[in-house]
Amino acid sequence: MTTQLSVYADPQAEAAGAVSAVVASLPLSFTPAAPAAAPAASGPDVFAVSGHAGWTGRAAAAVRKGAKGIVVSSPVAEDPAALIAAAEAAGSVVVLDRQWAGNLALAGSSENVHGVIAGALEDAVLLDSVAIGAPGTDPQDLLTEQVAVLVQCGVEVRNVRMVQRNANGYTVAGVLAGGAPVALQGILTSALQATASVSILTSTGRADVVLPDPAAAWPAVVRAVTTEGATALPTLYESSHRTSWSRVHSHISSGIPSTDLAQFSTVLSLVSQLTR
């Protein structure tokens, strides 16, 4: 029998992650928490937290009130050390609902995608990544989401430096472990949809990953070109939001811990080198 979990979302988390609509759309046993299970009382099974400044403290407070799982929507750069300690002590699961890195195409179980990326990295001559956000977005928040994509892809970037940054975006330079150059670009514009892309050029071809905005189940696009020809991986019509809620249910039901906060620590380490 599927485990039934009660859910509470604070108003900002509801707006950021469309929690009610996402939970209702999933073929899983989620149910809205009763008013008495709101944060002032003992707490629901799963608590949705908006990822704006102070999210680690709000998530830790929910853990201390007995939440089995936490889903954080679009977390900004913030040290998760105290939250990691609180979650481990309570045996709670924390899942980060990230704008692009949470896409199902990049899930750890997507061996084909990670195989394509790993194969291209072995022969990489250049990695180029572009993140497009809406005007008014904090460039650091956009950079955090973009770096999260690279970490989720298994890309290690070294010697990062900020080339330029202004109200319209940024350019970051670095190198891969093998020495190939890396260029990260963030662009704030209303002329294009919010997307993140990673393109790895090799001596014989390329690999491209394009991730859509999670507002709907638009599919990610993964293509590879090698000496054997061009390949497009199967299309997955799924949103990052739905994937995140499916994951938190799976982690709680199976007892398998989440690695999201550990990965976020890696993201934070890289972002901090560029913003301090």
Side-chain angles (χ1 to χ4, degrees):
M1 183 176 178
T2 304
T3 303
Q4 188 170 51
L5 301 172
S6 59
V7 175
Y8 176 87
D10 66 38
Q12 289 173 300
E14 175 63 41
V19 176
S20 296
V22 170
V23 169
S25 73
L26 289 168
L28 298 169
S29 295
F30 285 116
T31 183
S42 60
D45 293 321
V46 184
F47 194 102
V49 173
S50 172
H52 65 275
W55 66 268
T56 55
R58 294 191 299 276
V63 167
R64 289 191 290 271
K65 288 183 178 295
K68 298 177 183 177
I70 308 292
V71 177
V72 184
S73 299
S74 301
V76 300
E78 196 167 283
D79 186 357
L83 175 57
I84 291 174
E88 289 181 347
S92 299
V93 172
V94 179
V95 166
L96 304 184
D97 182 13
R98 295 166 296 184
Q99 183 174 9
W100 297 303
N103 192 285
L104 182 60
L106 298 185
S109 58
S110 300
E111 296 180 0
N112 290 339
V113 174
H114 288 279
V116 165
I117 295 170
L121 289 174
E122 291 179 358
D123 186 35
V125 296
L126 171 68
L127 185 147
D128 180 62
S129 175
V130 179
I132 299 174
T137 301
D138 187 329
Q140 180 171 325
D141 294 345
L142 183 64
L143 177 60
T144 300
E145 293 287 2
Q146 185 176 22
V147 171
V149 169
L150 297 179
V151 171
Q152 187 67 22
C153 285
V155 176
E156 180 184 355
V157 182
R158 301 176 179 177
N159 302 330
V160 291
R161 60 187 178 87
M162 186 69 70
V163 176
Q164 69 86 24
R165 174 177 171 174
N166 56 41
N168 298 316
Y170 55 81
T171 300
V172 171
V175 297
L176 295 174
V182 171
L184 309 181
Q185 301 165 59
I187 302 171
L188 302 179
T189 178
S190 59
L192 299 170
Q193 288 188 334
T195 59
S197 64
V198 178
S199 297
I200 306 170
L201 305 185
T202 70
S203 61
T204 59
R206 62 187 295 153
D208 296 281
V209 178
V210 181
L211 303 164
D213 186 89
W218 294 305
V221 176
V222 183
R223 298 191 183 95
V225 178
T226 67
T227 54
E228 298 177 353
T231 302
L233 295 191
T235 301
L236 301 174
Y237 290 92
E238 187 60 284
S239 73
S240 296
H241 295 322
R242 280 170 48 93
T243 300
S244 297
W245 281 92
S246 294
R247 288 200 300 117
V248 75
H249 195 287
S250 176
H251 282 301
I252 293 174
S253 299
S254 67
I256 299 174
S258 166
T259 60
D260 286 29
L261 290 178
Q263 284 188 325
F264 193 77
S265 295
T266 302
V267 172
L268 187 66
S269 175
L270 194 56
V271 171
S272 65
Q273 295 177 45
L274 296 164
T275 56
R276 61 192 174 194

